[in-house]
Amino acid sequence: MKTWQLGIIGHPLGHTYSPQMHEWAIRHYKWKGSYATKAIAPENFDKEIKMMKEKGTWHGFNVTIPYKERIIPYLDAIDDAAARIGAVNTVLRLADGGWKGFNTDAEGFVAPIHERLKGMHNALMVGAGGAARAVLAGLARHAPHIRLYIKNRTKERAKKLTITMAVAGLPIQTALLDDSPISRFDLIINTTQVGMGAYKDQTPLPRLADLVHANSFVYDLIYNPEETLLLQQARQLGCPFSNGLPMLVEQGSQAFNIWTGRPFPPEIIPDLFEKRTGENS
Ligand SMILES: NC(=O)c1ccc[n+]([C@@H]2O[C@H](COP(=O)([O-])OP(=O)(O)OC[C@H]3O[C@@H](n4cnc5c(N)ncnc54)[C@H](OP(=O)(O)O)[C@@H]3O)[C@@H](O)[C@H]2O)c1
């Protein structure tokens, strides 16, 4: 019987539901194994990653905040889509001990809103990190007609994101949003940590009411807490909304398939999906 050693690296890791999902799936298939969490402090990242690679204990692992870009120099191969996105959330250990990187966030992001995207014309994305790259790539692939506005704490990083994604040939129009709202958006996406952990009492968009219309869809990639302040505001404004749980399940299922050759068993998904969207959706 196959024994799977899987895991996740990031910092911090207290919010993640990935171990529950992957361990359910391992048990469902009646395999042995586990999905471990390894929190790595930023100052130890390079040393720890080199040690992990030498030991070669894990068959595969996920990469989360803040390392989706920082892991790339340690890979021996990278899937084309992940290379274009410039962020990796899934690593597979190859037969020779080398590491291959993939990105399952882009497709995971799109899955829950795929049907809605056809009727949307513009979107506002907050954040410009690893998850933002995946969102941009997912929209470019499935909804290139949408004009995407980007707002980030560090403006330079947002600018760099639009340039690198344009160089990568992603067919989507992007623009930077300055502090004054210029429009109401069909889709609002939070790709930052604002709303969870130390920032759980904050919202990345305090003036949400000025940015939405009745049918704007508000999508927070955060799933723990289940309903961030941003989503509470969306609920009050009557907008449909979703947290990041459906995305988590979809990206996790695709990662599990990369490692084991099987997707998540559908039986585990309804439980997780119960929490996925708000009453307005
Ligand atoms: N649901 C899912 O499956 C899923 C998948 C991927 C990610 N996520 C979530 O997405 C979020 C970001 O992940 P990531 O990998 O993109 O992280 P990352 O690469 O570290 O990027 C973090 C982004 O958040 C911004 N940010 C962080 N703290 C902030 C603050 N106090 N105020 C304003 N902006 C702040 C950063 O802005 P600066 O550029 O100014 O630093 C950056 O744009 C996390 O909450 C993660 O859990 C969810």
Side-chain angles (χ1 to χ4, degrees), residues 65 68 128 130-131 152-154 157 191-193 196 221 244 248:
I65 45 170
K68 289 180 185 183
N152 192 47
R153 177 178 60 180
T154 311
R157 193 171 180 193
T191 73
T192 76
Q193 293 95 311
M196 68 181 245
L221 268 50
L248 179 80

Side-chain angles (χ1 to χ4, degrees), residues 182-199:
I182 54 159
S183 181
R184 294 184 186 267
F185 298 92
D186 300 323
L187 175 64
I188 303 255
I189 313 147
N190 176 32
T191 73
T192 76
Q193 293 95 311
V194 180
M196 68 181 245
Y199 311 114

Side-chain angles (χ1 to χ4, degrees), residues 15 63-69 89 105 126-133 151-155 157-158 190-194 196 199 202 204 219-223 243-249 251-252:
H15 68 282
V63 183
T64 188
I65 45 170
Y67 299 134
K68 289 180 185 183
E69 295 159 73
N89 76 322
D105 281 338
V126 195
R133 284 171 174 268
K151 180 177 166 63
N152 192 47
R153 177 178 60 180
T154 311
K155 288 205 173 95
R157 193 171 180 193
N190 176 32
T191 73
T192 76
Q193 293 95 311
V194 180
M196 68 181 245
Y199 311 114
Q202 295 177 29
Y219 192 165
D220 198 331
L221 268 50
I222 294 172
Y223 52 85
N243 67 18
L245 203 54
M247 173 177 172
L248 179 80
V249 174
Q251 63 76 28

Side-chain angles (χ1 to χ4, degrees), residues 71-191:
I71 190 73
I72 292 177
Y74 293 95
L75 303 174
D76 302 285
I78 185 163
D79 171 71
D80 285 349
R84 265 197 310 278
I85 295 168
V88 160
N89 76 322
T90 301
V91 176
L92 171 71
R93 197 182 81 211
L94 303 169
D96 64 1
W99 283 353
K100 181 167 182 181
F102 298 82
N103 189 304
T104 66
D105 281 338
E107 294 302 314
F109 163 75
V110 168
I113 54 165
H114 193 258
E115 287 308 308
R116 293 178 185 264
L117 287 173
K118 288 178 200 137
M120 294 179 176
H121 302 288
N122 64 4
L124 169 62
M125 174 173 76
V126 195
R133 284 171 174 268
V135 166
L136 203 161
L139 289 177
R141 174 142 192 240
H142 294 277
H145 61 281
I146 285 181
R147 186 169 173 84
L148 179 65
Y149 292 82
I150 304 173
K151 180 177 166 63
N152 192 47
R153 177 178 60 180
T154 311
K155 288 205 173 95
E156 270 311 301
R157 193 171 180 193
K159 201 183 281 175
K160 197 171 154 211
L161 174 68
T162 61
I163 294 167
T164 51
M165 298 310 257
V167 169
L170 294 178
I172 187 164
Q173 279 187 38
T174 56
L176 301 181
L177 188 81
D178 63 21
D179 292 327
S180 55
I182 54 159
S183 181
R184 294 184 186 267
F185 298 92
D186 300 323
L187 175 64
I188 303 255
I189 313 147
N190 176 32
T191 73

